[in-house]
Amino acid sequence: MSIFKKIIDRELPAEIVYEDEFCLAFKDIQPKAPVHLLLIPKIEIRSLAEANENHKELLGHLLLKASEIAHQQGLDSGFQVITNSGESVGQTVFHLHFHILGGKKLSWP
Ligand code: AMP
């Protein structure tokens, strides 16, 4: 079971900022920006690479919520939404998650 599943099940604490039937958003424990949240689906999908046609609606929901949550957090001038898919690009937790980052000038990539 991933760390994030434990957060969903309330077996591990987290600073939750948003929750609905399908997803949960909470503060990253090692923030890389003044606002750094993680948005995750409640169902277990290991990474974006493992998402499929059945997850189409859920993925749309997550992206729209990412924008809504970013605005709720005051990121009106801009934000980044990033997902690492695979160990080779830095994924460390194997439960799909979107990083929502903002509150300072961010570089790319
Ligand atoms: P990634 O490297 O893209 O898989 O991102 C995983 C993220 O999860 C990192 O930014 C970690 O800081 C964050 N993280 C790991 N454990 C926790 C936790 N218990 N609560 C909040 N964030 C976490």
Side-chain angles (χ1 to χ4, degrees), residues 3-4 7 12-14 26-30 32 36 38 84 90-93 97 99:
I3 294 171
F4 293 171
I7 290 175
L12 267 183
F26 51 93
K27 294 187 182 177
D28 195 293
I29 208 166
Q30 286 186 298
K32 292 173 181 59
H36 185 174
L38 299 170
N84 292 318
Q91 185 177 5
T92 57
V93 179
H97 52 282
H99 297 261

Side-chain angles (χ1 to χ4, degrees), residues 29-46:
I29 208 166
Q30 286 186 298
K32 292 173 181 59
V35 177
H36 185 174
L37 305 172
L38 299 170
L39 175 62
I40 66 174
K42 286 190 172 173
I43 61 164
E44 289 185 272
I45 304 171
R46 280 176 61 81

